[in-house]
Each structure stands twice: as structure tokens, then as C-alpha cells.
Amino acid sequence: MAKSILLAILKLLMILIFAGWVSLWLLKPTNLWTRKWKGAEDSTRPTLFGYYGLDFAVYTFPVISLAIIGLVYLNLLSKEPLRRRKARSSTIGFSNPVIVNSFVGVLSCIEILGVFLFILFLAWTYYTRISNDFKNLMPIKSLKLNLWQLKYLRVATRFGLLAEACLALLLLPILRGLALFQLLGIQFEASVRYHIWLGTSMIFFATVHGGSTLFIWGVSHHIQDEMWRWQKTGRIYLAGEIALVTGLVIWITSLPQIRRKRFEIFYYTHHLYISFLIFFLFHAGDRHFYMVFPGMFLFGLDKLLRTIQSRPETCILSATVFPNKAVELILPKDPRLKYTPTSVIFMKIPSISKYQWHSFSITSSSNVDDEVMSVIIKCEGGWTSSLYDMIQADLDSNADHMSCIPAAIEGPYGPASLDFLRYDNLVLIAGGIGITPFLSILKEIASVQSSSSSSRYRFPTQIQLIYVVKKSQEICLLNSISSLLLNQSSSKQLNLKLKVFVTQEEKSNASLGELLNDLSVIQTVNFDTKISNYAVHGLESPLWMAALTALTCVVFLVFLMCFNHIFVSSEKNGGAASEKLVVRREKKVPKEKTPSSVVDLLLLSSFIIAITCSTFLAFILRWKRLKKAIPPVSQKQGKSAEPRQVEISAFEEHEIHFVGRPNFHDMFSKFPNETEGSDVGVLVCGPETMKESVASLCQLKSQGFNVGAEGKKPYYSFHSLNFTL
């Protein structure tokens, strides 16, 4: 009870902070805010806190505090048992698909509302700014512009503020360890599309901003004078031009045509974001930079913590090669490491590439396997094909134990709770390698229901697994859950029904059991673990990361205040004594301004020092933890589970269909007869066309169309899982 109250308090606090932060953005374009804010900055300027402290506290710290409180909230939420719903939650309908389109994908009501409000905010900001500008047009001394040129230049300038608003949110969706989107139940792989939308919008606004400014300089014959200026104070134009070109390079190489065919180009050019952010700082100045600084602050800390967490490298224990060019890897795991179903890890194999990371769904359950975790990889791309060739070469050598393959692991990253399994019934729809997250779900449900603590959890008791494959040889990926498929007749807690659809093969004489038993083409290789016996320890606790984030924030402010006091506070106007005298007599004397680039460098230096200190502390604590307990990796542990022969007759209750795709409408119509009209959770992982097809069906149901049997009105709730290779 006390934990539930604390969760409610933290949730309310986060809502209030977020509402306050949004209010700042809404008020910022108004004249009222401008007047009040200038007065507040002037009043804090002579204090140790300074205007920079005020900007950080008002613009930057709310988002950082959300991350800190959110980590505490997720830590408590992960320890809450999953309870059965007494009534359907009013918010479930908001997460169901409303728009299903091949261009934008599947959008829920909450996503549409969020996009609409953000567009409304951009329109409000632009209208307020440009209307004030047109009322108070002032000629620019350095540029002799007529009225239309002056107005167009103001229009171009205000487009830069829209790009700034997009940049403020750009890095938040791709956080992993400090993930803010996880508070909304959105995992990293799903939130990447928001990063893509924001990045595209930012580049569009920035291009209009920069291109229009260059156009005005050109028609007024000042382009040579203005384009190459790195002025002492104010906007540094050259820095803005460099930032724009860098951003365009990043965006162009991120297009699907390049990202899918030339992943290495996309990956390496994406790291130009460091140059982009630095030159944006020099162009916009520190006051504007505090608006976008929260994302940079959290992303920088998150990136370095992930780098430390992936050290030292571990070794792949064994690999199983399936006939459909899929590979199952077995990795050593700290027995204390627990993760939720549908979790993913990021893997780097230095012998293939020293810099590339790829995400894969975990197929094992931490409740079943204490010392190992497994992933299944479909080897279709360049990186995965290199891995397949490496393992196949070891198999062809016919040695008992092959040399170790070092691998760096980030994660696991997964949902903090299992609310997506709160339904009485589940329909799991997988396409090809999309079966991987469902393997972990089924193993987790089976292990919890068979344990003595199963009364604390409320998992579904009736599950339909619909598996769509191109070739029948892909069915062998189900071998790890063959025991669950066999025990249906004797199991009273879990009723699992499997329906397999083979789309590109004629009807085979072999039954489902015979196809699953065809293990002659499955090969396994065990690797030597003498080089490294480190296990995957996983992420640090959320409370630990919250404390480190708060410490980094404090260190940053301390160094920023010290640097500003040393380099900025003592202006060149006769020393500190004359400054006090001027203040006392309320007289103004001209002062030589500190160059804008100096102030920007101080902000950047403070950030780098704070991140470095926190990284060093994290490294020391991590090293001590590993030194205390390094779980030994034995050869027995390294051996993968041998594929098992199963009794063919036990698969008679399951179905297999050839030549044709599943008719989801008919399946959903029959399902209510088996579920007694209760709520049904629909989880889909596979190609986008499959997701859109199932989402459209759930959309029809949510709009009132009866896709179920007469008299039976189950509620279908759609969930799209990450499709990772």
C-alpha cells in the first residue's frame, strides 16, 4: 500500500514538472515573458548563481529532474507484481490504432494527440514571434534592406526557433538507460521513429532558416560580407552555416535507401552530431542552448554509462546454426541479472566491426536460465552475414572447441513492468524472425505459473500463437518451446494453441511434429572461454543512475559558476571596486562585452568536466563490482541446449497450413467462442505489412464493428513489438 502511494506521488510530481516545462515553452514567445525574464536575469547577474544558473534551473533542470524522478519511479514499478484488472482501464482505448497507413505506420490516439499538440505549439510560437516582429520592425544598420526583404529576413529567423524546438526533443527518444519514453511504456526501438520525425522537421526548418537568410544576403549584395563572419558577439553566422551543412549530411545519409543498403555510411556519419551540437552552440549562444541542453546532457551521460556497462567484453559460449540461416548465440549471464520478456540487448563483435552495435531480442527467460541468455539472429545483412560466415567456418573445421569470439554487450533493455500481459487471453502473431520476443514471453509465463509464487502474478491462461513463415525449415526456431507445446493436454494453467502458416511451399506430407523433429541440419559449435570469463552483468540499478545523474548536474553547475566568476564576472571596466561604485551610484558606463564564443566554451568545458568526473566514478564503482564477483564460465555452462526430439502425436491439436497467408478476420471471429467474451491482448512482431493488417482489424473493432461471434464482444487491444534482427 505504501509503495502504491509513493508511486502515485512520484507520478503526480512528474506530471506537474512536465506541465511546468511545457508552460515555459508556451510563455517564452510572449512579450510578457520577455520583459519578466530580462528583469529576472538582471537581478541574478551580480549573484554567484548568475544568469546562467537561472537559465539552467528554469529551462534545463526540469527535464533532468524528470529523468531522476522517473528512474526512482521505474525502480519501484519493476518490483510491483502484475495484478489482474478489475475493470477495463479507460486509457487502454487511447493506445489502440486509429490511423493505419503505409507511410506513417500505425498511430494510436495518444500519438496523434501528441503530434497535433506539438504542431499547434509550433504554430503558436511562430505566429506570436512573427506578429511581434512585424509590429516592431527595425532596420539593420549593416544591411540596407527594403521592407519586403526585412520582413522575409524576420520570417527566416523565426524558422530557426522552430528548428530549436525540434532539437530540444530530438535526443530524448533515443535514450536507453536514462530513457524518459519508458515512463510512457515506449521502448527504445519503438521510440526511434519519433527521433526520425523530429530530425526531419528540424532539418526542414533549419534549411528554410539558413537558405532564406543566404537569399536575402544575396539579393542585398552582402553575401560575401555576412557569410564568412565569425563576429565577436551575437549570432555567429559561420558556425550556423557549418551546423546546417553537418545536419544535412546526417539527414541525407539517414534516408532508408542509404541506411538499409549502406549501413556503415549511415552509422559513421551519424556521429557528426557532436560537431552539429557544438556549432549550434556557437551560432545560437548559451541562452538559446539551455533550451536544448537537457537532451544533450542526458544523452551524453547515457552514452558514457552504456560504454562503461559494455566493458569488459565477454565471450560467446556456443552457437547453433539453423537451416534458414539463423543463428542462436548463448552468452554467459550473472545469475543476479533479471530482465523482463521482450527485452533486447545491443551487441558489438570487434572482430567484425569495432564500432557497430546491433540490437537483438532475447529469447530466454531469466527465471528459467540463471547463468546464460540466448538470442536468435537472422543473418541477412552485411554484419550478420559476417557473423554467420565466421561461425560456419568454425563448424567446417570439425574441432571440438573453437577459439573464443569476444563480444561487447549493452543492456538488457526492456519494459519496467509486464502490463502488456495483463489480459486474460493473448493472440501472439509473429512473422519470420519476429518469433524471438514471443519465445521469451512464453517461457516467462510458463515458469511463473509453475512456480510457488505464481499467486502474486496474473498472466494469461489462454494463448494463441500464430506463426507465419516463408519456408517450413523456419519452424525449427520453435524447438526451444517444444516442451510447452507438448504439455497442453496435461496443463491446467496454460492453454497454448499453435497455428503455423507456410506461405511459399506446397502442402507437405510431413506433419508439424515431423518438421520440428527434423534436426539433421541443425549444427552446434562450442567456443573456448579461456580468454575471457566475464558474464553479462546488465545495467546498474535505476536508483544508482538517478544518483549519478543528480551528481553530474551539481558538478556541472559548480564548474560553470567558477568559470564564469573567473573569466566573465570581472569585466574590463576598471576592476571589481569600480564595478561596485558604479552599482551604488546607479550610473552606467560602457563595458567591453565578453566574446560570445568564450561564454559558449565555458559552458561546453563545464559539461565535459562534469561528464568526465561522473564517468570516472562510474568506472571505479563498476570495476569494484566486477572484481568482487566474477562468475566463472564452465564448459558445461557454455554448451547450448541440445535440440530435442519430440513425440509427433502430441502436436495433433496444433495446426499447420501451406500456401497462403492467415485470414486474421476469420481467426478473430472464431476466437471469442474460446475466450468467453473476455478481453484479448493482440501482440504483433513482424513485417510492417503484417502489423498494419492486424492493426486495421483492431481499429475496426475499436470503432464499433463486430469482428467477433454474435453475442460475444471481446475487447481487442493492439500492441506492436519491436522487430529486431
Side-chain angles (χ1 to χ4, degrees):
M1 182 58 121
K3 187 181 292 184
S4 300
I5 294 174
L6 183 56
L7 284 170
I9 293 173
L10 292 175
K11 192 173 184 178
L12 178 61
L13 184 58
M14 287 188 292
I15 292 173
L16 292 175
I17 293 174
F18 179 74
W21 185 64
V22 171
S23 300
L24 290 177
W25 280 91
L26 293 174
L27 290 172
K28 193 173 182 288
T30 62
N31 288 327
L32 174 64
W33 177 263
T34 302
R35 292 195 303 270
K36 295 292 184 182
W37 186 249
K38 285 183 177 179
E41 279 194 337
D42 291 339
S43 63
T44 57
R45 192 182 300 274
T47 65
L48 181 64
F49 196 60
Y51 80 87
Y52 42 84
L54 180 65
D55 281 33
F56 181 85
V58 174
Y59 291 135
T60 302
F61 187 69
V63 180
I64 298 176
S65 64
L66 273 178
I68 295 172
I69 298 172
L71 288 168
V72 178
Y73 177 83
L74 291 175
N75 183 72
L76 294 174
L77 187 65
S78 63
K79 299 177 181 178
E80 281 283 289
L82 183 66
R83 305 291 184 185
R84 189 185 300 275
R85 295 175 304 162
K86 294 181 180 179
R88 184 181 303 153
S89 172
S90 59
T91 60
I92 291 176
F94 289 99
S95 62
N96 262 353
V98 175
I99 294 179
V100 181
N101 185 275
S102 58
F103 180 71
V104 297
V106 181
L107 295 180
S108 66
C109 183
I110 292 179
E111 290 173 315
I112 295 172
L113 180 62
V115 171
F116 173 75
L117 292 177
F118 185 68
I119 294 174
L120 196 63
F121 158 73
L122 293 178
W124 153 256
T125 299
Y126 188 79
Y127 171 77
T128 306
R129 290 287 192 184
I130 204 68
S131 59
N132 290 335
D133 289 344
F134 284 174
K135 290 177 184 177
N136 306 290
L137 275 178
M138 296 290 291
I140 302 174
K141 294 180 180 180
S142 60
L143 300 175
K144 296 179 180 180
L145 305 177
N146 55 37
L147 183 60
W148 79 266
Q149 291 171 345
L150 191 59
K151 284 187 174 181
Y152 189 63
L153 184 61
R154 300 311 301 166
V155 168
T157 301
R158 294 314 177 190
F159 265 95
L161 293 179
L162 301 184
E164 177 185 289
C166 295
L167 181 58
L169 301 175
L170 181 64
L171 296 175
L172 298 180
I174 54 175
L175 297 174
R176 297 180 194 171
L178 305 176
L180 288 173
F181 275 69
Q182 195 176 3
L183 297 171
L184 303 175
I186 302 173
Q187 296 307 305
F188 171 79
E189 293 293 321
S191 63
V192 167
R193 69 171 174 177
Y194 307 125
H195 173 75
I196 296 173
W197 293 349
L198 289 167
T200 302
S201 302
M202 182 197 70
I203 289 299
F204 171 75
F205 294 136
T207 303
V208 173
H209 166 68
S212 300
T213 303
L214 290 173
F215 172 74
I216 293 299
W217 289 347
V219 297
S220 62
H221 306 291
H222 289 87
I223 191 167
Q224 292 292 338
D225 299 330
E226 300 294 329
M227 186 174 179
W228 304 104
R229 285 183 63 191
W230 190 289
Q231 61 271 33
K232 189 175 181 180
T233 59
R235 301 286 181 269
I236 299 177
Y237 299 139
L238 181 58
E241 294 155 14
I242 296 173
L244 176 58
V245 172
T246 305
L248 284 171
V249 171
I250 294 174
W251 180 77
I252 291 172
T253 55
S254 301
L255 294 174
Q257 295 84 347
I258 298 177
R259 186 179 70 248
R260 292 170 183 168
K261 296 180 180 179
R262 296 288 185 270
F263 181 83
E264 290 79 8
I265 295 176
F266 155 76
Y267 181 83
Y268 294 124
T269 55
H270 228 66
H271 285 77
L272 291 174
Y273 72 87
I274 299 174
S275 299
F276 173 82
L277 291 172
I278 291 174
F279 283 109
F280 172 81
L281 168 62
F282 285 122
H283 172 63
D286 64 325
R287 283 179 171 85
H288 280 269
F289 195 72
Y290 284 114
M291 302 292 291
V292 304
F293 190 50
M296 177 180 171
F297 184 96
L298 293 175
F299 180 79
L301 184 59
D302 182 74
K303 181 79 173 178
L304 291 171
L305 288 179
R306 289 190 281 112
T307 301
I308 294 173
Q309 183 255 323
S310 64
R311 300 292 189 272
E313 295 174 352
T314 185
C315 272
I316 298 174
L317 301 179
S318 63
T320 299
V321 179
F322 296 99
N324 60 333
K325 208 178 178 182
V327 176
E328 181 182 27
L329 303 181
I330 306 297
L331 300 164
K333 179 183 77 70
D334 188 335
R336 295 167 296 181
L337 174 60
K338 300 296 180 182
Y339 50 85
T340 52
T342 73
S343 293
V344 300
I345 61 171
F346 285 78
M347 179 184 296
K348 178 183 72 173
I349 299 181
S351 56
I352 299 177
S353 174
K354 294 183 179 180
Y355 303 105
Q356 287 188 38
W357 292 86
H358 295 265
S359 60
F360 304 104
S361 299
I362 300 177
T363 59
S364 56
S365 168
S366 57
N367 286 332
V368 177
D369 301 308
D370 288 333
E371 297 182 331
V372 295
M373 65 167 55
S374 61
V375 295
I376 296 180
I377 303 170
K378 187 66 177 295
C379 301
E380 292 180 332
W383 188 91
T384 53
S385 295
S386 298
L387 174 63
Y388 180 85
D389 294 339
M390 184 186 301
I391 295 173
Q392 191 64 51
D394 288 341
L395 284 169
D396 294 340
S397 65
N398 295 322
D400 292 336
H401 291 280
M402 306 308 302
S403 58
C404 169
I405 299 180
I409 304 296
E410 280 186 17
Y413 303 103
S417 66
L418 301 178
D419 285 343
F420 63 93
L421 297 178
R422 64 185 177 271
Y423 305 96
D424 296 324
N425 306 276
L426 279 182
V427 178
L428 309 179
I429 303 174
I433 198 62
I435 191 66
T436 51
F438 296 141
L439 297 179
S440 64
I441 288 176
L442 293 173
K443 292 175 184 177
E444 184 81 8
I445 293 176
S447 67
V448 170
Q449 289 188 341
S450 62
S451 66
S452 58
S453 60
S454 60
S455 59
R456 297 178 61 237
Y457 300 90
R458 296 294 183 267
F459 283 136
T461 56
Q462 186 143 330
I463 301 174
Q464 278 202 14
L465 174 59
I466 301 171
Y467 189 27
V468 184
V469 296
K470 293 180 180 179
K471 303 292 183 180
S472 58
Q473 60 185 7
E474 296 183 50
I475 299 175
C476 60
L477 297 182
L478 298 174
N479 190 270
S480 62
I481 59 168
S482 58
S483 60
L484 302 181
L485 298 170
L486 284 171
N487 296 333
Q488 295 311 299
S489 58
S490 60
S491 176
K492 297 180 180 179
Q493 291 181 311
L494 177 63
N495 183 7
L496 173 61
K497 181 68 177 293
L498 171 65
K499 296 181 180 179
V500 178
F501 292 83
V502 184
T503 61
Q504 296 183 5
E505 280 187 8
E506 298 292 336
K507 185 173 182 179
S508 171
N509 294 326
S511 65
L512 180 60
E514 289 172 337
L515 291 172
L516 196 60
N517 268 339
D518 186 13
L519 308 177
S520 59
V521 289
I522 298 178
Q523 297 176 290
T524 300
V525 57
N526 296 310
F527 298 103
D528 196 350
T529 59
K530 292 180 180 179
I531 298 178
S532 172
N533 64 344
Y534 284 98
V536 178
H537 283 73
L539 302 170
E540 301 292 348
S541 70
L543 290 178
W544 185 92
M545 289 192 289
L548 191 67
T549 304
L551 177 64
T552 308
C553 187
V554 172
V555 173
F556 167 78
L557 272 179
V558 168
F559 276 94
L560 184 62
M561 290 179 187
C562 292
F563 286 156
N564 276 274
H565 180 72
I566 295 171
F567 296 102
V568 178
S569 295
S570 51
E571 302 286 350
K572 300 176 182 178
N573 59 355
S578 22
E579 281 183 4
K580 293 179 182 178
L581 184 61
V582 170
V583 173
R584 254 187 230 110
R585 295 178 180 178
E586 297 183 352
K587 292 182 180 180
K588 293 184 179 179
V589 296
K591 294 192 292 184
E592 184 180 340
K593 291 185 178 180
T594 304
S596 302
S597 56
V598 172
V599 179
D600 299 338
L601 282 173
L602 296 181
L603 188 154
L604 193 61
S605 301
S606 302
F607 172 65
I608 293 174
I609 292 173
I611 289 289
T612 303
C613 292
S614 299
T615 303
F616 181 74
L617 176 61
F619 177 79
I620 294 298
L621 295 176
R622 179 82 174 180
W623 179 76
K624 287 185 176 180
R625 176 185 172 187
L626 293 177
K627 190 177 179 181
K628 285 182 180 179
I630 301 176
V633 178
S634 63
Q635 294 300 332
K636 181 181 178 181
Q637 177 183 332
K639 292 183 179 180
S640 60
E642 292 294 332
R644 63 185 73 184
Q645 293 282 342
V646 294
E647 187 180 346
I648 295 176
S649 59
F651 284 91
E652 292 178 356
E653 57 185 289
H654 303 295
E655 302 175 12
I656 182 169
H657 305 271
F658 291 88
V659 190
R661 300 182 182 276
N663 188 326
F664 293 116
H665 190 282
D666 290 346
M667 290 181 180
F668 279 46
S669 299
K670 297 175 182 177
F671 200 64
N673 296 323
E674 306 169 9
T675 61
E676 300 179 357
S678 56
D679 293 341
V680 180
V682 181
L683 280 66
V684 184
C685 185
E688 290 300 321
T689 53
M690 175 184 288
K691 292 181 181 180
E692 292 165 8
S693 176
V694 178
S696 298
L697 195 60
C698 293
Q699 181 186 20
L700 289 175
K701 179 58 182 175
S702 64
Q703 291 175 352
F705 295 95
N706 185 21
V707 298
E710 241 178 89
K712 307 284 187 178
K713 293 185 178 180
Y715 184 83
Y716 292 91
S717 182
F718 176 85
H719 297 268
S720 175
L721 297 185
N722 305 330
F723 184 60
T724 58
L725 292 176

